[in-house]
Amino acid sequence: MCDVPRVSEEHRTARRRQIVEAARRCFLREGFHRTSMQDVITEADLSVGAVYRYFPSKTDLINAIAEQAIGGAGQVLTELTRQDPPLPLLAVLDRMLAYIETQLDEDGALRIAIQVWGESQRDPALAAFVAETYTGLREHFTALVRRAQRSGELPAHADPDATGAALFGLVPGWYIQRLLTGVPDRATYLTGVAALLGATPRSS
């Protein structure tokens, strides 16, 4: 008797994941606007009631997809801010881009993230989620800058918020170029960043 709630929760989690993955495939193929709830229901191979029980609207699905697309980056940054001793900032950027690189293929989260950006321009609720999420990511970079100041890598008088924002900007700056043009590769980009920072790139 005690095992029933646990199994039930596992079932709900698995079913929700099944629907989200089906929606992600549909959105990657057709985009948010051309994908209907019926498309997702067909892709998930579930009944109408089963899908609507978890996601009453397409907006709910888009929000779930957005969380999935962006959440992994936050986990990586959390680990980096807890690294002891702290990594040099160029190594931090290398680790972050290495994670991003795993999300750049045709089924990767970054292609969905780009769609989320566009959809957030017309959906106030999604816009609020995107703003909150990216503000959180930027704050991780600000924390990394403060650690670099304490270690002597950056000058103490540098503005942590401004420097963190600039460092954060290097991440989408790279993957947007990769998505749109196919280049530069991670090593080439890091070599350029190292030249700007006057640092020595680490081999990965």
Side-chain angles (χ1 to χ4, degrees), residues 102-115:
T102 68
Q103 304 297 315
L104 283 173
D105 59 25
E106 291 186 358
D107 295 328
L110 266 297
R111 295 181 188 276
I112 287 287
I114 298 298
Q115 291 193 51

Side-chain angles (χ1 to χ4, degrees), residues 12-29 32 35 39-46 51 54-55 60-62 64-69 103 105-109 112:
R12 286 194 291 270
T13 299
R15 183 67 78 223
R16 191 176 190 279
R17 185 183 304 116
Q18 179 183 352
I19 298 167
V20 169
E21 287 302 308
R24 186 175 67 86
R25 292 192 297 271
C26 289
F27 292 148
L28 283 168
R29 281 198 307 265
F32 288 149
T35 297
D39 292 330
V40 176
I41 291 163
T42 301
E43 183 74 22
D45 195 23
L46 294 170
V51 172
Y54 291 91
F55 299 98
D60 294 312
L61 268 172
I62 291 172
I65 292 287
E67 290 176 10
Q68 184 186 70
Q103 304 297 315
D105 59 25
E106 291 186 358
D107 295 328
I112 287 287

Side-chain angles (χ1 to χ4, degrees), residues 62-108:
I62 291 172
N63 288 340
I65 292 287
E67 290 176 10
Q68 184 186 70
I70 300 170
Q75 293 175 9
V76 173
L77 282 169
T78 296
E79 292 172 5
L80 288 170
T81 56
R82 293 173 178 172
Q83 184 91 21
D84 190 23
L87 293 174
L89 290 178
L90 196 64
V92 166
L93 187 61
D94 188 14
R95 292 277 186 91
M96 192 64 197
L97 297 189
Y99 166 75
I100 295 295
E101 201 164 34
T102 68
Q103 304 297 315
L104 283 173
D105 59 25
E106 291 186 358
D107 295 328

Side-chain angles (χ1 to χ4, degrees), residues 6-191:
R6 180 180 62 82
V7 172
S8 177
E9 182 61 32
E10 288 176 355
H11 174 79
R12 286 194 291 270
T13 299
R15 183 67 78 223
R16 191 176 190 279
R17 185 183 304 116
Q18 179 183 352
I19 298 167
V20 169
E21 287 302 308
R24 186 175 67 86
R25 292 192 297 271
C26 289
F27 292 148
L28 283 168
R29 281 198 307 265
E30 300 293 339
F32 288 149
H33 292 293
R34 292 182 61 183
T35 297
S36 67
M37 285 297 286
Q38 185 57 53
D39 292 330
V40 176
I41 291 163
T42 301
E43 183 74 22
D45 195 23
L46 294 170
S47 69
V48 172
V51 172
Y52 277 97
R53 185 178 303 119
Y54 291 91
F55 299 98
S57 71
K58 191 166 74 170
T59 298
D60 294 312
L61 268 172
I62 291 172
N63 288 340
I65 292 287
E67 290 176 10
Q68 184 186 70
I70 300 170
Q75 293 175 9
V76 173
L77 282 169
T78 296
E79 292 172 5
L80 288 170
T81 56
R82 293 173 178 172
Q83 184 91 21
D84 190 23
L87 293 174
L89 290 178
L90 196 64
V92 166
L93 187 61
D94 188 14
R95 292 277 186 91
M96 192 64 197
L97 297 189
Y99 166 75
I100 295 295
E101 201 164 34
T102 68
Q103 304 297 315
L104 283 173
D105 59 25
E106 291 186 358
D107 295 328
L110 266 297
R111 295 181 188 276
I112 287 287
I114 298 298
Q115 291 193 51
V116 169
W117 295 354
E119 187 68 13
S120 70
Q121 300 306 297
R122 59 171 296 277
D123 183 334
L126 188 58
F129 165 78
V130 169
E132 180 182 359
T133 301
Y134 279 88
T135 296
L137 295 178
R138 188 171 59 219
E139 288 172 351
H140 278 297
F141 280 94
T142 299
L144 288 163
V145 166
R146 292 185 189 279
R147 296 190 81 192
Q149 288 178 305
R150 289 194 293 271
S151 71
E153 182 182 4
L154 288 178
H157 61 77
D159 182 333
D161 291 323
T163 309
L167 186 62
F168 175 38
L170 292 172
V171 177
W174 176 67
Y175 69 70
I176 289 172
Q177 291 186 70
R178 282 292 303 272
L179 286 173
L180 295 178
T181 71
V183 292
D185 60 47
R186 178 163 54 101
T188 299
Y189 189 74
L190 287 168
T191 297

